[in-house]
Amino acid sequence: GQNIDQPTEMTATEGAIVQINCTYQTSGFNGLFWYQQHAGEAPTFLSYNVLDGLEEKGRFSSFLSRSKGYSYLLLKELQMKDSASYLCAVRPRIDYKLSFGAGTTVTVRA
Amino acid sequence: EAGVVQSPRYKIIEKKQPVAFWCNPISGHNTLYWYRQNLGQGPELLIRYENEEAVDDSQLPKDRFSAERLKGVDSTLKIQPAELGDSAVYLCASSLSWRGDNEQFFGPGTRLTVL
């Protein structure tokens, strides 16, 4: 399998910024996804990176460095509804298989 | 547009009993996936379908698990007999294709508890 590491938990204050790191080791690389999953709900797509650099989507941004096997998801202007698990998933080759990390539980406090 | 539909949402059974999960993917999505997600873990792929063909079932425990996707639309995943370790959330996902950046859309999952 693939080796994907992300922190287990993070806590931040409403209105603040949080950065969730993801490191991976794969045999080849064909894209990295970030998903958000609220407790008891389905994962929902947040972002996709295949080239190095930063992709910005509103309050959420995702960064990729292929040479370092590293990505981060940046959440700005945190809101209470952002409390959820954030899953990093890597597509290791030109195929369909996504390998997911264990997820990072973000808790936003007032 | 309706998302991926799964039923039931929750299921509690005793060990050695059979159980089945149903999934209706997004209309027009050719690729369908079944994942298992244990508590505190990310989803793990069990099987992928391209239309009605199971193109990768290498992760499916075939001694007790089976799946089908008749007519290339709805799919069912069955466990017979269930074991305690099968307690997990079973997620169905679909995508237009497995290629490129095609996003996988997940259903809400079926939470299985085996007693």
Side-chain angles (χ1 to χ4, degrees):
Chain A
Q2 312 305 318
N3 194 11
I4 301 169
D5 289 317
Q6 49 182 130
T8 304
E9 295 180 337
M10 301 183 75
T11 301
T13 306
E14 199 173 12
I17 298 173
V18 70
Q19 177 174 315
I20 306 169
N21 296 324
C22 172
T23 58
Y24 61 89
Q25 293 176 315
T26 65
S27 51
F29 177 82
N30 194 40
L32 185 145
F33 293 77
W34 283 96
Y35 280 82
Q36 180 191 59
Q37 187 175 26
H38 286 99
E41 298 183 10
T44 55
F45 170 81
L46 289 178
S47 67
Y48 171 73
N49 295 71
V50 67
L51 299 176
D52 290 351
L54 187 68
E55 296 278 344
E56 296 187 82
K57 263 190 194 178
R59 294 188 300 112
F60 293 3
S61 303
S62 58
F63 171 83
L64 176 67
S65 169
R66 289 172 295 171
S67 62
K68 296 181 179 178
Y70 168 69
S71 172
Y72 68 72
L73 180 70
L74 194 68
L75 314 180
K76 303 175 190 174
E77 301 169 18
L78 279 172
Q79 302 176 7
M80 299 299 286
K81 67 179 181 180
D82 297 330
S83 292
S85 178
Y86 292 85
L87 299 163
C88 173
V90 176
R91 179 177 284 151
R93 296 184 304 276
I94 304 178
D95 64 17
Y96 64 94
K97 270 187 180 172
L98 284 184
S99 291
F100 284 84
T104 299
T105 300
V106 172
T107 302
V108 180
R109 294 184 172 166
Chain B
E1 178 183 328
V4 177
V5 179
Q6 289 188 249
S7 70
R9 290 295 311 277
Y10 304 91
K11 190 73 178 179
I12 302 174
I13 60 171
E14 295 189 345
K15 63 181 181 183
K16 301 184 181 179
Q17 295 301 305
V19 65
F21 316 124
W22 175 80
C23 172
N24 178 241
I26 292 173
S27 177
H29 281 194
N30 296 322
T31 308
L32 184 146
Y33 316 78
W34 282 103
Y35 287 88
R36 176 168 58 190
Q37 186 174 23
N38 292 308
L39 189 64
Q41 300 296 316
E44 294 178 320
L45 183 72
L46 292 173
I47 189 169
R48 172 176 73 106
Y49 280 91
E50 290 296 331
N51 298 303
E52 67 275 7
E53 183 182 358
V55 294
D56 185 355
D57 61 357
S58 58
Q59 302 287 85
L60 194 71
K62 297 181 185 61
D63 56 335
R64 298 182 300 107
F65 285 63
S66 64
E68 61 182 8
R69 189 183 184 197
L70 298 176
K71 300 181 181 178
V73 181
D74 295 0
S75 177
T76 56
L77 177 68
K78 298 178 182 177
I79 309 175
Q80 183 171 13
E83 296 179 353
L84 294 176
D86 297 331
S87 295
V89 175
Y90 291 82
L91 295 164
C92 178
S94 70
S95 62
L96 283 170
S97 164
W98 59 267
R99 299 179 187 276
D101 63 348
N102 276 283
E103 174 190 345
Q104 293 184 23
F105 294 82
F106 285 83
T110 297
R111 183 176 296 276
L112 174 67
T113 302
V114 182
L115 302 176

